[in-house]
């Protein structure tokens, strides 16, 4: 049976890891390099690195922090933020990333996912989608959750997977940082729509939230979280032991 992955997320702004609520009120947490090294040594299956203001500020993603992180960690590293072109893919991969996450760049350039998948393979292309409910519908948001595109999220995800996205990170803005549990309704809809790995992001507050996620929606491949790991509220070791005790396959 395939193990369920546990993935800490490092949101980086001005060279520091930050965390907020509903994508707002960002507070300083730690050095991204040191935090990544800590997670690599303490049971994380992968790491996700986001330069969260690169798209909104219309600039390229940081490289010095990424290169240093890649030298120190030995688990898969997914990197996103400001990915607009194949040149950005090249640069990030050369810095040591294993996978590249695309969000606003795919909205601006509808051919980007298809072109990247053909050059690097589906397994390298990760679609990251920031989703928020608007008038009862799931909408795709761009620029770090700042801009409502008006696009329906499930159809957008289905389309991007059809063009070659090999994995989907579903970021629920409604549950982000609230610590009330993952957005199960949204995640169930995504898992029913596509047949690629789906990573749940936004809402984890305790170990039980991960257990509920994997038991309720077996199609979810991984759980991603930030603040509960950053601030020591949940340790990855304890989480994985609880998963195994509940019959959820985990890499211990």
């Amino acid at each position: 049976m395939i193990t369920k992955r546990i993935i800490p997320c490092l949101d980086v702004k001005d060279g520091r890891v930050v965390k907020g609520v509903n994508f707002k009120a960002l507070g300083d947490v730690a050095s991204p390099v040191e935090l990544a090294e800590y997670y690599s040594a303490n049971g994380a299956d992968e790491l996700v690195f986001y330069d969260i203001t690169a798209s909104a500020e219309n600039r390229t993603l940081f490289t010095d922090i990424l290169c240093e992180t890649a030298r120190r960690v030995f688990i898969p590293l997914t990197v996103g933020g400001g990915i607009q072109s194949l040149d950005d893919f090249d640069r990030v991969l050369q810095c040591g990333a294993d996978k590249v996450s695309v969000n606003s760049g795919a909205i601006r350039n509808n051919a980007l996912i298809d072109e990247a998948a053909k050059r690097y393979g589906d397994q390298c292309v990760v679609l990251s989608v920031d989703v928020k409910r608007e008038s009862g519908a799931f909408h795709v948001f761009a620029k770090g959750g700042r801009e409502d595109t008006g696009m329906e999220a499930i159809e957008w995800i289905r389309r991007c997977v059809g063009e070659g996205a090999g994995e989907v990170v579903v970021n629920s803005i409604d549950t982000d940082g609230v610590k009330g549990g993952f957005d199960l309704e949204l995640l169930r809809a995504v898992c029913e729509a596509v047949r690629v790995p789906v990573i749940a992001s936004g809402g984890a507050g305790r170990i039980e939230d991960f257990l509920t996620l994997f038991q309720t929606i077996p199609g979810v491949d991984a759980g991603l979280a930030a603040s509960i790991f950053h601030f020591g509220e949940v340790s990855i070791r304890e989480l994985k032991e609880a998963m195994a005790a509940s019959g959820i396959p985990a890499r211990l």
Side-chain angles (χ1 to χ4, degrees):
M1 186 177 292
I2 298 175
T3 59
K4 301 297 186 182
R5 292 171 287 156
I6 299 301
I7 307 175
C9 176
L10 282 64
D11 292 328
V12 179
K13 181 178 186 290
D14 299 327
R16 298 284 293 178
V17 176
V18 297
K19 191 67 187 87
V21 177
N22 302 130
F23 283 29
K24 300 176 182 177
L26 301 176
D28 182 81
V29 176
S31 156
V33 177
E34 293 176 2
L35 199 55
E37 193 171 27
Y38 169 81
Y39 287 136
S40 180
N42 284 274
D45 295 299
E46 298 184 16
L47 287 173
V48 170
F49 237 83
Y50 289 137
D51 185 338
I52 60 172
T53 58
S55 291
E57 295 170 1
N58 195 30
R59 60 174 172 79
T60 58
L61 181 144
F62 56 80
T63 56
D64 53 344
I65 292 173
L66 174 55
C67 288
E68 182 63 22
T69 300
R71 280 194 290 267
R72 296 200 195 183
V73 305
F74 304 99
I75 56 178
L77 181 61
T78 298
V79 178
I83 304 298
Q84 309 290 337
S85 66
L86 292 183
D87 287 342
D88 291 327
F89 268 81
D90 282 332
R91 181 168 49 81
V92 170
L93 292 170
Q94 288 173 9
C95 285
D98 299 283
K99 294 181 280 189
V100 182
S101 178
V102 181
N103 190 329
S104 296
I107 296 170
R108 291 194 186 98
N109 177 5
N110 291 335
L112 181 58
I113 288 178
D114 178 63
E115 293 171 351
K118 287 177 179 175
R119 177 176 293 187
Y120 305 107
D122 293 8
Q123 79 289 338
C124 184
V125 182
V126 179
L127 173 68
S128 179
V129 187
D130 297 332
V131 183
K132 188 174 187 294
R133 289 169 177 79
E134 292 290 339
S135 301
F138 294 125
H139 280 204
V140 176
F141 276 65
K143 297 182 179 179
R146 297 169 178 82
E147 180 181 291
D148 184 357
T149 67
M151 293 192 300
E152 200 281 323
I154 306 304
E155 286 305 313
W156 170 246
I157 292 169
R158 184 183 287 116
R159 170 183 166 183
C160 291
V161 168
E163 292 174 350
E167 190 168 78
V168 180
V169 178
V170 183
N171 308 300
S172 172
I173 297 176
D174 293 313
T175 61
D176 175 72
V178 177
K179 300 182 181 180
F182 291 96
D183 194 329
L184 300 180
E185 179 188 14
L186 170 60
L187 291 163
R188 183 177 290 107
V190 174
C191 288
E192 290 174 352
V194 298
R195 294 294 178 267
V196 298
V198 173
I199 299 173
S201 172
R206 54 185 186 151
I207 286 175
E208 287 75 16
D209 292 332
F210 288 89
L211 304 184
T212 298
L213 169 69
F214 294 129
Q215 290 169 339
T216 304
I217 312 177
V220 169
D221 292 82
L224 180 151
S227 58
I228 64 167
F229 296 143
H230 297 344
F231 300 119
E233 297 167 46
V234 171
S235 80
I236 293 174
R237 170 63 61 179
E238 290 174 342
L239 169 56
K240 288 188 169 185
E241 289 175 350
M243 289 168 59
S246 298
I248 300 167
R251 181 182 66 86
L252 297 172

